[in-house]
Amino acid sequence: MIRQIYEKNGGNDMMDQLVIGILAHVDAGKTTLTEAMLYTSGQLRKLGRVDHGDAFLDTDEQERRRGITIFSKQALLPLPTAEVTILDTPGHVDFSGEMERTLQVLDGAVLVVSAAAGVQAHTLTVWRLLRQWGIPVFLFVNKMDAPGVDRAALLAQLREKLDGGCVDFSAGEESLWEEAATGSEAALGEYLDTGRLSRDTLCRLIARREIFPCWFGSALKLQGVEELLTGLEEYAPRPAYPAEFSARVFKISRDGQGQRLTFLKVTGGVLHVKDVLTGTSAGEAWEEKADQLRRYSGEKFKSLEEAPAGTVCAVTGLTRTFPGQGLGAAEDAPPPSLTPALSYRLYLPEEVDPALAMGKLRQLEEEDPLLRLLWNERLREIHVQLMGEIQLEILRELIERRFGWAVTFGTGSIVYRETIANTVEGVGHYEPLRHYAEVRLLLEPGERGSGLAFRSLCPEDDLDRSWQRLILTHLMEKPHLGVLTGSPITDMRITLTAGRGHLKHTEGGDFRQATYRAVRQ
Ligand code: GDP
Ligand code: MG
């Protein structure tokens, strides 16, 4: 049986490392499917149930009580030739910040669609993000045990609403070859010549997102789960990594003892315990030691001596890291495309000093990229910006549990944004006595929802590369406010076209001033 094969191979350090995310609309059955995958592969002796509050991955107290996943979690799943890290991500839109940043480290994704509900609006949001990050997708149509489901109609819906390249992989090899072959010309040639498609060809089509394999089943009844596992084993892309060390931070959280955990994926070379890591956060360079490397599965972890490329682990001892940060040879990732939509005033109990509280609450902001805390110095008020009411409720409980403050919130208001209707140039000069900097920017309107994109087209002969990078950093380091309503600007592309410094009179901060002025103009 497949269980025994999996058990024999568990824990081999030489195996390929794969990071697979489980994504879906809330209630489609992600957590149940993850449990079923772990159980089928012999990692769990007993099947937990979200409905009974004992799911392996819903470890947080609020998650167990509400029966929903709030924080992304990981589990280890050994397949015969690869060790898979499964990341179970939250499905509710309120927590899509968690989801979006885990996308940064995925080698592939399992998208769960409920047969009872079909493709939902959130499924489309997830699909768009998966496309944006170029992630190969395996589809699992869950809840096929529900009455009245129609498999052919569901496949047709996937093809129409998601992508014409959705191929039923449970239908048998002959028909899957035929369907997959229409995905590309080369594959069609191979099919016509040989009457089949090799495993390599299928892997390549999947890795390039030309086809999307689909399985149908029921996580609750353990139907189709083994086929999905075999499919991942056979077809999930096996990335090759460079020898130079690099890593991507995708999440910050705290363990039961309050220790700060930096979750990262090693994307090149090897990370050893006690390695000294360097990075730049908020414009300042730092150097810190990786005290402990933890490989989590559910609530438990194993300490690692070293983490080779492809591994996801939690590192202790780092205090300055942030989600999206690149360490070693990796660059920082672009900021998330989703941004909080609602704003609420936060009321603290009277005996708590708001300025002091703000310092502590920053911890939570660091852990959730779609939570923003604003401090109004003049009114001594704290405002929170987030995605919706569920997130607000979770935040209230989290603050109570972690800091012991019973907080309340005012009525919500919408967080407005500003953009431009037309292309415009902005020029900023900064030249008080013995200072000099000039920055020219081209601002172009972008697609709705695209956020801000930055680049430079300035020749290096005109302005040194290091100054150019500094200007781009200043563009990215804070939200810039528009001039119409004072709301943060969004949906535009900002290009550095020219800039000038002075050999003697330009100092580090001068370009910051000139950059801000160019945007404002
Ligand atoms: P998540 O929000 O995507 O993590 O979904 P959960 O795993 O929490 O499941 C949501 C609900 O759907 C729970 O009540 C599950 O018991 C139920 N469920 C999950 N998988 C199946 C399935 O295959 N068939 C049926 N009928 N119900 C399922
Ligand atoms: Mg869940």
Side-chain angles (χ1 to χ4, degrees):
M1 262 306 287
I2 196 158
R3 275 190 73 152
Q4 277 156 6
I5 303 173
Y6 287 132
E7 267 163 21
K8 252 191 265 157
N9 286 283
N12 182 343
D13 283 345
M14 299 306 289
M15 280 197 293
D16 282 346
Q17 298 289 329
L18 286 179
V19 186
I20 303 287
I22 313 268
L23 305 158
H25 185 275
V26 66
D27 249 17
K30 282 180 317 293
T31 304
T32 309
L33 179 63
T34 310
E35 300 267 340
M37 289 165 84
L38 291 171
Y39 181 77
T40 304
S41 68
Q43 290 300 295
L44 287 184
R45 278 183 214 300
K46 185 175 148 286
L47 207 50
R49 273 286 293 275
V50 277
D51 314 274
H52 304 158
D54 63 353
F56 177 69
L57 283 177
D58 281 351
T59 46
D60 183 83
E61 184 194 315
Q62 290 201 53
E63 292 180 324
R64 298 212 148 162
R65 197 152 27 84
R66 290 164 195 264
I68 59 168
T69 306
I70 300 169
F71 311 104
S72 58
K73 234 75 49 62
Q74 66 183 67
L76 292 186
L77 178 76
L79 294 178
T81 63
E83 192 165 41
V84 180
T85 304
I86 298 274
L87 298 178
D88 178 27
T89 60
H92 195 282
V93 285
D94 280 14
F95 310 113
S96 31
E98 274 273 345
M99 183 197 65
E100 194 177 355
R101 62 193 170 157
T102 55
L103 295 184
Q104 301 173 359
V105 298
L106 297 186
D107 299 315
V110 172
L111 179 62
V112 188
V113 176
S114 156
V119 172
Q120 291 164 288
H122 186 70
T123 321
L124 293 172
T125 306
V126 173
W127 189 259
R128 185 174 57 81
L129 289 170
L130 288 167
R131 183 169 52 213
Q132 196 177 317
W133 291 87
I135 298 167
V137 184
F138 298 76
L139 286 129
F140 186 78
V141 181
N142 190 30
K143 306 198 186 183
M144 288 300 285
D145 59 316
V149 298
D150 178 346
R151 182 178 174 135
L154 282 161
L155 185 63
Q157 192 190 56
L158 297 179
R159 288 189 177 148
E160 189 201 314
K161 294 198 171 164
L162 300 182
D163 194 292
C166 292
V167 176
D168 185 351
F169 265 51
S170 51
E173 288 191 320
E174 315 266 309
S175 85
L176 104 78
W177 288 331
E178 188 178 335
E179 295 215 350
T182 57
S184 88
E185 228 166 87
L188 188 60
E190 180 181 331
Y191 179 69
L192 294 176
D193 287 347
T194 65
R196 59 191 305 275
L197 288 184
S198 69
R199 175 176 158 184
D200 277 356
T201 303
L202 288 169
C203 284
R204 201 163 49 240
L205 290 172
I206 292 167
R208 290 192 193 148
R209 295 176 42 89
E210 290 180 47
I211 62 169
F212 303 92
C214 306
W215 286 271
F216 296 79
S218 161
L220 200 58
K221 306 242 158 92
L222 297 175
Q223 287 158 3
V225 178
E226 203 169 306
E227 288 78 357
L228 173 67
L229 288 175
T230 310
L232 288 175
E233 158 80 20
E234 293 256 314
Y235 304 117
R238 310 280 175 106
Y241 295 102
E244 188 185 357
F245 170 72
S246 64
R248 163 87 54 226
V249 177
F250 65 99
K251 162 179 153 131
I252 306 295
S253 71
R254 281 166 179 80
D255 69 8
Q257 275 70 53
Q259 276 236 56
R260 189 177 190 273
L261 302 176
T262 299
F263 280 85
L264 51 79
K265 178 190 184 185
V266 182
T267 50
V270 180
L271 175 63
H272 306 90
V273 71
K274 306 294 179 201
D275 272 354
V276 173
L277 293 172
T278 55
T280 305
S281 303
E284 272 175 54
W286 52 259
E287 207 181 272
E288 289 180 333
K289 201 188 282 175
D291 270 338
Q292 217 184 9
L293 310 182
R294 298 179 176 178
R295 193 131 163 72
Y296 272 92
S297 194
E299 268 174 322
K300 299 201 189 76
F301 68 84
K302 209 172 79 181
S303 292
L304 299 179
E305 286 298 310
E306 54 176 42
T311 313
V312 162
C313 61
V315 181
T316 64
L318 308 180
T319 62
R320 310 283 308 268
T321 45
F322 58 89
Q325 187 165 35
L327 300 174
E331 304 259 327
D332 294 348
S337 68
L338 300 161
T339 51
L342 295 166
S343 177
Y344 299 83
R345 164 137 186 232
L346 181 144
Y347 295 93
L348 288 158
E350 267 182 27
E351 67 278 12
V352 181
D353 178 69
L356 285 179
M358 188 65 191
K360 293 197 173 176
L361 291 169
R362 287 274 180 223
Q363 253 187 35
L364 304 176
E365 186 176 46
E366 177 178 271
E367 292 169 24
D368 183 348
L370 286 189
L371 172 68
R372 211 149 290 162
L373 292 164
L374 304 176
W375 168 243
N376 186 320
E377 179 68 50
R378 197 167 48 84
L379 301 171
R380 293 177 64 78
E381 285 178 9
I382 297 174
H383 291 257
V384 300
Q385 293 185 352
L386 35 68
M387 292 296 282
E389 305 228 321
I390 299 192
Q391 198 188 358
L392 195 67
E393 187 52 26
I394 304 283
L395 180 65
R396 197 181 58 71
E397 290 195 24
L398 202 59
I399 292 175
E400 169 116 49
R401 197 146 39 101
R402 201 175 287 183
F403 308 113
W405 307 325
V407 301
T408 54
F409 298 95
T411 44
S413 59
I414 291 174
V415 179
Y416 288 98
R417 307 263 160 202
E418 276 186 32
T419 190
I420 48 176
N422 243 317
T423 302
V424 64
E425 192 184 38
V427 183
H429 293 279
Y430 184 70
E431 43 192 333
L433 198 60
R434 281 193 282 283
H435 289 272
Y436 185 80
E438 181 187 320
V439 170
R440 270 172 196 271
L441 302 172
L442 188 72
L443 286 69
E444 297 164 282
E447 226 175 278
R448 167 88 66 112
S450 61
L452 291 173
F454 306 100
R455 61 170 184 170
S456 172
L457 288 181
C458 176
E460 283 181 21
D461 289 344
D462 293 358
L463 184 66
D464 194 71
R465 198 182 142 123
S466 57
W467 289 129
Q468 296 198 23
R469 291 178 70 145
L470 188 66
I471 294 170
L472 290 178
T473 308
H474 293 326
L475 283 171
M476 286 184 263
E477 72 196 358
K478 67 156 201 171
H480 299 275
L481 302 185
V483 289
L484 279 181
T485 64
S487 314
I489 56 169
T490 188
D491 297 350
M492 48 179 106
R493 181 164 72 175
I494 303 186
T495 307
L496 172 65
T497 54
R500 221 166 22 192
H502 188 283
L503 226 43
K504 232 166 70 198
H505 294 315
T506 297
E507 285 177 17
D510 298 356
F511 272 111
R512 171 179 277 125
Q513 295 307 325
T515 306
Y516 291 178
R517 288 174 185 199
V519 174
R520 219 162 37 232
Q521 197 212 24

